[in-house]
Amino acid sequence: MPESVKDRPTRAHEYIFMFTKNKRYYYDREAVIEPNGRNCRSVWTIHTQAFADAHFATFPPKLIEPCIKSSTRKGDFVLDPFFGSGTVV
């Protein structure tokens, strides 16, 4: 959510938390490697996207792509605890 503050720099990022039940988690670095061969960065530039239905908490599908690609294998079950408008497919 954009901030309208005048007494400090405007926060221009949000955190994404990825949880696992296991101490040894799965991470596929190759699935999210940048085109120039660099490791994925901790700040991503993803533009907002309009959503046709009336819902205030949608996010662009591109936002979750790196999360799912890097942390799941084909056939894994992905839980979206904030189901909201059902944009996670």
Side-chain angles (χ1 to χ4, degrees):
M1 178 70 93
E3 293 181 313
S4 56
V5 295
K6 299 195 186 315
D7 62 341
R8 64 183 183 276
T10 300
R11 184 171 39 115
H13 68 276
E14 294 186 46
Y15 292 97
I16 296 176
F17 296 98
M18 297 171 60
F19 297 103
T20 180
K21 295 189 319 185
N22 301 320
K23 286 184 179 182
R24 294 185 54 107
Y25 57 88
Y26 175 77
Y27 181 74
D28 184 359
R29 176 183 175 272
E30 297 297 321
V32 291
I33 202 156
E34 293 184 356
N36 60 7
R38 292 191 321 173
N39 199 23
C40 183
R41 303 331 248 169
S42 62
V43 176
W44 309 332
T45 301
I46 298 173
H47 299 286
T48 57
Q49 181 178 339
F51 184 68
D53 295 334
H55 197 280
F56 65 92
T58 61
F59 51 82
K62 292 259 184 224
L63 179 64
I64 58 160
E65 282 181 14
C67 301
I68 293 174
K69 285 180 178 179
S70 67
S71 63
T72 61
R73 296 177 180 97
K74 187 174 179 91
D76 280 355
F77 180 77
V78 177
L79 172 66
D80 178 9
F82 305 106
F83 184 65
S85 62
T87 53
V88 178
V89 180

